[in-house]
């Protein structure tokens, strides 16, 4: 209960103020000469009285009182309310139907009075039926085994009599496997009198734990494409044999690796599907030739591994060779795929566990042997591992590691061999940049020792990028010193030239070093030029449009087609040294040298003879019209300081034609 009402207090204060001011009215009238001056004062006092008596204060918060002058009429009880109720029931049924259909479980209901059966969409899918022909158990009866249908009917009847729920397994007639079955269950709904009116049930797929484990095992340890074991299983199985060998020193086993030679060409020439079929055929042929206790796995895209368990003879390879040769001969037989007859070549390496005591060592031995064979003349054959191969492989691995470190430490240096124009008083026309490895421990290493490894491992790409930048910086330095038309030639490998961003990389280096493209020449081998000829021509055109000159190195080694050569936007051919060495002694080499010179002239290309070492070779080339010479006769490769000295002695600016 409130102690005071603020509205009444306000009214009282207003009245008090009005009375207070009204008391002074007689005195004002007496003191004022003009009575009309008192009128505003009187009006103000009257306004205070008016406000105090008649003003209605505003409603605040929930203090508004309910009006009692309005009659609230309840809505009439007509069919409107009945229609809304029916609509709500229909919407509720539709919502329930949607929930049942989208559920991950199958549902069914049986109306006892009408005998109608409802199957949800999920239940029909589990029964492998598109729809129910009628509202009955017929769709269920026709898709389960007869004995299971009888069992279900008896369980349903017993449940209706006792009111108890039931659950049982049933097998599908058209199941893909014996392990596939369904679990059907039901609960009885009764009325107030205890009579059954409805059965509500569920239908679910039974997950066989044993089958699921078997399926998981297959996915974990099997190759999905070929069905043989995968690398994970191979390593685990190999470890078991190694452990057995530790316990039994006389136990001998072998690991054989089988590699499909040039498998990438099959995918490129035909299709990936054809390549997959080849892998399946190869795996089937290996399985057909192996012993029952041998383990076969696919451990790489085109590499299979075989563990030959329990070799009997521990002193020789006599027990292993017949098995390996049998597999090799079977696999390399022609393959019939989609009406085509494909011939494949396979290389196999074999390593025994004689001198190793761990999984890594025996696998490394087999891998090293396979790698060595694919690089050598025994390509496509069979090779057993020997100690020298492993030592060589370890040396190569070490060299690869050192090359990676050398790229980061920038231990590679460039030497520059002059290219001389003998028709212009032996004027220097340019340099070829030749890489050397200035190793901190071994000193200068020849490129013949590290370039092949860099090519094989892909390290030639970062190395080539480093060489290009170093050559451009050196050429820019010489240009800034006044040797405006000097050219520096840089060799590009096939892997570099195949890069999609190769043109952009060259353009970026030229921009960063501020070198004019006319001072740079790119050299690629004849083999590189012929790899993916159409793509190579497109790249060459892009480079040529930038102002770069392109040279074909090692020309004459037998790869190129003259019809393609006419299409290449090239500027220079370099005759291979192997034809120059004996051209003054061998008539065939001399004839070939004349032919190459003639090709260059007919195509209006410059020709550089490289590897010229004596006066007789020089005289022959000069007589045949070859003007550009490179070789020890004039100069060996020079370091940048010596190259500058040579440049100062043999450089003469090209005079502009008037």
């Amino acid at each position: 209960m409130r102690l005071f009402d603020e509205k009444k207090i306000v009214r009282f204060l207003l009245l008090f103020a009005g009375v207070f001011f009204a008391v002074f009215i007689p005195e004002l009238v007496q003191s004022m000469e003009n009575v009309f001056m008192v009128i505003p004062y009187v009006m103000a006092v009257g306004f205070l009285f008016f406000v105090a008596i008649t003003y209605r204060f505003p409603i605040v918060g929930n203090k508004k009182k309910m009006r009692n002058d309005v009659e609230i009429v309840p809505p009439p009880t007509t069919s409107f309310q009945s229609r809304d109720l029916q609509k709500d029931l229909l919407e509720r049924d539709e919502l329930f139907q949607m929930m049942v259909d989208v559920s991950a479980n199958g549902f069914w209901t049986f109306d006892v009075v009408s005998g109608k059966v409802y199957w949800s969409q999920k239940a029909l899918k589990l029964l492998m039926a598109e729809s129910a022909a009628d509202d009955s158990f017929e769709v269920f009866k026709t898709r389960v085994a007869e004995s299971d249908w009888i069992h279900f009917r008896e369980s349903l009847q017993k449940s209706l009599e006792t009111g108890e729920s039931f659950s049982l397994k049933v097998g599908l007639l058209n199941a893909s496997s014996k392990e596939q079955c369904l679990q059907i269950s039901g609960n009885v709904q009764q009325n107030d009198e205890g009579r059954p009116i409805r059965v509500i049930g569920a239908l679910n797929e039974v997950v066989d734990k044993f089958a699921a484990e078997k399926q998981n095992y297959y996915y974990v340890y099997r190759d999905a494409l070929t069905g043989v074991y995968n690398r994970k299983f191979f390593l685990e199985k190999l470890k078991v044999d190694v452990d057995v060998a530790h316990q039994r020193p006389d136990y001998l086993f072998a690991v054989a690796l089988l590699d499909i030679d040039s498998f990438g060409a099959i995918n490129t020439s035909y299709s990936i599907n054809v390549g997959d079929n080849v892998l399946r055929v190869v795996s089937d042929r290996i399985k057909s030739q192996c012993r029952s206790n041998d383990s076969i796995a696919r451990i790489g895209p085109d590499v299979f591994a075989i563990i030959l368990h329990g070799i009997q003879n521990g002193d020789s390879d006599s027990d292993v060779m017949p098995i390996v040769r049998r597999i090799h001969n079977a696999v390399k037989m022609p393959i019939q795929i989609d009406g085509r007859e494909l011939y494949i070549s396979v290389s196999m390496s074999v390593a025994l566990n004689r001198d190793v005591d761990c999984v890594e060592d025996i696998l490394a031995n087999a891998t090293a042997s396979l790698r060595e064979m694919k690089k050598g003349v025994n390509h496509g054959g069979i090779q057993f591992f020997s100690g020298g191969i492993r030592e060589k492989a370890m040396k190569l691995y070490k060299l690869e590691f050192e090359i990676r470190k050398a790229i980061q430490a920038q231990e590679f240096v460039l030497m520059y061999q002059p290219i001389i124009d003998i028709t212009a008083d032996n004027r220097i026309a340019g340099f070829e940049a030749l890489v050397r490895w200035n190793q901190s421990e071994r000193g200068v290493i020849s490129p013949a020792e590290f370039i092949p490894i860099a090519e094989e491992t892909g390290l030639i790409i970062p190395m080539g990028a480093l060489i290009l930048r170093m050559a451009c910086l050196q050429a820019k330095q010489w240009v800034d010193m006044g040797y405006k038309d000097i050219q520096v030639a840089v060799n590009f490998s096939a892997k570099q030239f195949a890069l999609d961003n190769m043109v952009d990389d060259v353009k970026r280096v030229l921009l960063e070093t501020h070198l004019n493209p006319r001072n740079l020449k790119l050299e690629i081998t004849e083999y590189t030029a012929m790899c993916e000829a159409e793509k190579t021509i497109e790249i060459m055109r892009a480079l040529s449009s930038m102002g770069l000159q392109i040279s074909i190195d090692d020309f004459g080694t037998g790869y190129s087609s003259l019809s393609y050569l006419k299409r290449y936007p090239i500027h220079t051919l370099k005759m291979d040294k192997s034809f120059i060495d004996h051209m003054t002694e061998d008539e065939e080499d001399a004839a070939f040298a004349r032919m190459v010179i003639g090709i260059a002239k007919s195509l209006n290309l410059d020709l550089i003879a490289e590897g010229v070492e004596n006066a007789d070779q020089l005289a022959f080339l000069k007589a045949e019209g070859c003007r550009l010479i490179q070789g020890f006769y004039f100069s060996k490769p020079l370091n940048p300081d010596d190259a500058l000295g040579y440049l100062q002695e043999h450089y003469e600016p090209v005079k502009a034609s008037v």
Side-chain angles (χ1 to χ4, degrees):
M1 181 176 180
R2 292 184 300 176
L3 297 176
F4 56 85
D5 189 343
E6 62 273 12
K7 295 180 181 179
K8 293 181 180 180
I9 294 175
V10 172
R11 291 184 189 278
F12 173 76
L13 293 176
L14 290 173
L15 288 172
F16 178 78
V19 173
F20 179 79
F21 288 113
V23 172
F24 293 98
I25 291 176
E27 296 182 5
L28 288 173
V29 173
Q30 293 178 3
S31 61
M32 290 287 185
E33 295 180 357
N34 189 352
V35 179
F36 292 103
M37 296 296 292
V38 184
I39 293 176
Y41 187 84
V42 174
M43 292 178 64
V45 173
F47 180 73
L48 285 174
F49 282 112
F50 176 78
V51 170
I53 297 172
T54 64
Y55 183 70
R56 305 182 66 85
F57 291 91
I59 304 299
V60 180
N62 60 353
K63 297 178 180 179
K64 180 179 179 180
K65 295 181 180 180
M66 183 180 294
R67 294 180 58 180
N68 55 10
D69 58 341
V70 178
E71 183 179 1
I72 301 176
V73 181
T77 56
T78 61
S79 61
F80 175 79
Q81 183 177 6
S82 176
R83 285 197 302 271
D84 279 354
L85 180 59
Q86 292 176 1
K87 184 178 179 180
D88 289 344
L89 290 174
L90 288 174
E91 289 181 351
R92 187 177 63 181
D93 290 343
E94 290 177 0
L95 179 60
F96 173 76
Q97 182 71 33
M98 291 174 62
M99 293 173 63
V100 168
D101 287 338
V102 301
S103 174
N105 300 320
F107 289 99
W108 62 276
T109 59
F110 170 54
D111 191 293
V112 178
V113 178
S114 64
K116 290 184 177 182
V117 181
Y118 165 77
W119 301 95
S120 71
Q121 293 296 323
K122 179 63 177 180
L124 293 174
K125 186 176 180 180
L126 291 173
L127 292 170
M128 301 181 184
E130 295 182 359
S131 61
D134 50 19
D135 299 333
S136 68
F137 285 112
E138 189 66 23
V139 66
F140 181 74
K141 177 182 177 182
T142 57
R143 280 167 171 77
V144 300
E146 183 177 359
S147 58
D148 290 335
W149 161 249
I150 295 174
H151 188 195
F152 167 75
R153 190 177 59 187
E154 293 174 352
S155 299
L156 177 62
Q157 184 62 36
K158 182 179 179 181
S159 180
L160 292 174
E161 295 173 357
T162 63
E164 298 177 353
S165 60
F166 68 92
S167 177
L168 66 150
K169 291 181 181 179
V170 294
L172 291 174
L173 293 176
N174 53 352
S176 58
S177 63
K178 294 181 179 180
E179 293 82 6
Q180 186 176 0
C181 59
L182 300 177
Q183 182 87 21
I184 187 167
S185 58
N187 291 293
V188 178
Q189 183 181 5
Q190 299 175 335
N191 59 12
D192 295 339
E193 299 175 357
R195 295 179 180 178
I197 59 174
R198 187 180 293 107
V199 179
I200 302 174
L203 187 67
N204 297 297
E205 188 174 10
V206 176
V207 180
D208 191 322
K209 291 184 178 180
F210 176 77
E213 290 176 0
K214 185 177 179 181
Q215 189 81 349
N216 291 335
Y217 176 86
Y218 184 88
Y219 287 133
V220 171
Y221 290 106
R222 291 280 183 176
D223 175 56
L225 178 63
T226 61
V228 298
Y229 292 111
N230 56 20
R231 186 180 183 88
K232 179 180 177 65
F233 178 87
F234 168 75
L235 294 175
E236 291 184 6
K237 195 70 174 176
L238 186 56
K239 187 177 186 307
V240 172
D241 275 44
V242 170
D243 292 341
V244 172
H246 285 165
Q247 298 172 5
R248 292 169 44 195
D250 61 335
Y251 179 73
L252 186 69
F253 67 93
V255 171
L257 299 184
L258 184 146
D259 179 89
I260 304 175
D261 302 326
S262 303
F263 180 73
I266 297 176
N267 288 332
T268 303
S269 303
Y270 298 97
S271 68
I272 294 178
N273 290 334
V274 172
D276 290 346
N277 288 334
V278 169
L279 292 172
R280 294 188 186 100
V281 171
V282 169
S283 66
D284 290 340
R285 290 180 176 180
I286 295 173
K287 286 187 287 186
S288 68
Q289 300 302 321
C290 284
R291 302 170 304 172
S292 58
N293 65 326
D294 293 333
S295 301
I296 307 163
R298 180 178 174 222
I299 63 172
D302 59 344
V303 179
F304 292 86
I306 308 155
I307 304 178
L308 304 173
H309 306 284
I311 305 300
Q312 298 300 320
N313 189 351
D315 298 327
S316 68
D317 303 328
S318 58
D319 283 352
V320 180
M321 179 56 81
I323 303 172
V324 174
R325 184 177 289 117
R326 189 169 64 239
I327 296 171
H328 187 265
N329 291 336
V331 170
K332 69 179 183 180
M333 293 292 292
I335 299 175
Q336 299 289 337
I337 296 179
D338 298 335
R340 306 183 184 95
E341 190 173 59
L342 300 181
Y343 291 85
I344 63 172
S345 171
V346 293
S347 300
M348 288 190 70
S349 66
V350 184
L352 283 79
N353 67 314
R354 290 190 183 118
D355 303 318
V356 295
D357 58 358
C358 66
V359 171
E360 292 77 10
D361 283 350
I362 190 170
L363 188 57
N365 288 351
T367 303
S369 183
L370 182 64
R371 184 177 182 181
E372 177 71 15
M373 177 176 49
K374 289 181 71 67
K375 289 164 50 181
V377 295
N378 200 23
H379 185 76
I382 301 172
Q383 179 166 297
F384 278 75
F385 171 79
S386 62
I389 293 176
R390 181 67 184 277
E391 292 175 3
K392 186 176 180 180
M394 294 302 295
K395 181 179 178 181
L396 292 179
Y397 288 140
K398 181 181 178 182
L399 185 59
E400 178 184 345
F401 176 73
E402 290 177 348
I403 291 174
R404 293 183 186 275
K405 288 174 54 180
I407 293 174
Q408 296 177 352
Q410 297 187 357
E411 293 180 350
F412 295 101
V413 296
L414 293 184
M415 307 291 283
Y416 299 89
Q417 187 169 32
I419 300 171
I420 304 301
D421 186 351
I422 59 176
T423 63
D425 296 329
N426 294 341
R427 174 188 178 273
I428 185 169
F431 291 99
E432 180 182 1
L434 301 170
V435 65
R436 300 289 185 269
W437 183 5
N438 188 14
Q439 220 245 8
S440 56
E441 297 178 0
R442 299 168 54 190
V444 177
I445 302 175
S446 168
E449 188 172 345
F450 63 86
I451 289 295
I453 302 301
E455 287 274 7
E456 183 179 348
T457 59
L459 292 173
I460 194 67
I461 294 175
M463 182 190 298
L466 178 63
I467 291 170
L468 177 63
R469 179 176 294 276
M470 292 166 61
C472 287
L473 288 171
Q474 183 61 72
K476 175 61 175 171
Q477 183 178 347
W478 287 334
V479 169
D480 291 343
M481 294 173 67
Y483 305 102
K484 301 295 184 183
D485 59 340
I486 196 68
Q487 272 192 338
V488 175
V490 179
N491 291 283
F492 261 58
S493 71
K495 280 185 168 54
Q496 287 177 275
F497 215 75
L499 293 175
D500 293 334
N501 58 344
M502 181 263 191
V503 176
D504 292 334
D505 288 345
V506 173
K507 187 183 298 184
R508 183 174 62 254
V509 172
L510 289 172
L511 289 174
E512 292 175 355
T513 58
H514 305 289
L515 180 67
N516 193 315
R518 68 186 181 88
N519 297 113
L520 179 65
K521 179 181 287 188
L522 299 184
E523 287 190 5
I524 62 172
T525 63
E526 191 176 5
Y527 170 78
T528 301
M530 291 306 299
C531 290
E532 300 186 37
E534 296 298 332
K535 180 181 178 181
T536 301
I537 291 173
E538 183 181 347
I539 293 174
M540 283 184 173
R541 286 174 179 165
L543 294 170
S544 183
S545 65
M546 293 165 50
L548 287 167
Q549 288 199 6
I550 301 172
S551 174
I552 300 295
D553 197 10
D554 299 336
F555 184 75
T557 51
Y559 292 102
S560 63
S561 166
L562 294 180
S563 61
Y564 265 106
L565 193 60
K566 292 191 298 183
R567 298 176 55 195
Y568 286 111
I570 59 178
H571 306 83
T572 307
L573 297 179
K574 294 189 75 172
M575 191 189 311
D576 189 65
K577 182 180 183 299
S578 61
F579 301 104
I580 294 175
D581 288 342
H582 305 288
M583 67 183 178
T584 58
E585 307 163 3
D586 190 302
E587 186 56 34
E588 289 185 3
D589 286 351
F592 188 86
R594 293 189 186 99
M595 182 188 69
V596 173
I597 294 172
I599 292 173
K601 288 180 178 179
S602 64
L603 296 176
N604 196 25
L605 300 174
D606 287 332
L607 178 68
I608 299 175
E610 58 179 342
V612 177
E613 298 181 352
N614 57 58
D616 292 340
Q617 294 172 346
L618 179 64
F620 178 90
L621 293 168
K622 187 174 183 179
E624 295 299 329
C626 179
R627 68 181 186 88
L628 297 176
I629 306 297
Q630 177 183 348
F632 280 17
Y633 180 80
F634 286 104
S635 175
K636 63 180 182 180
L638 306 170
N639 62 43
D641 293 336
D642 293 338
L644 176 59
Y646 195 95
L647 186 61
Q648 291 170 343
E649 294 177 5
H650 298 85
Y651 178 82
E652 181 181 348
V654 177
K655 296 180 181 179
S657 58
V658 181

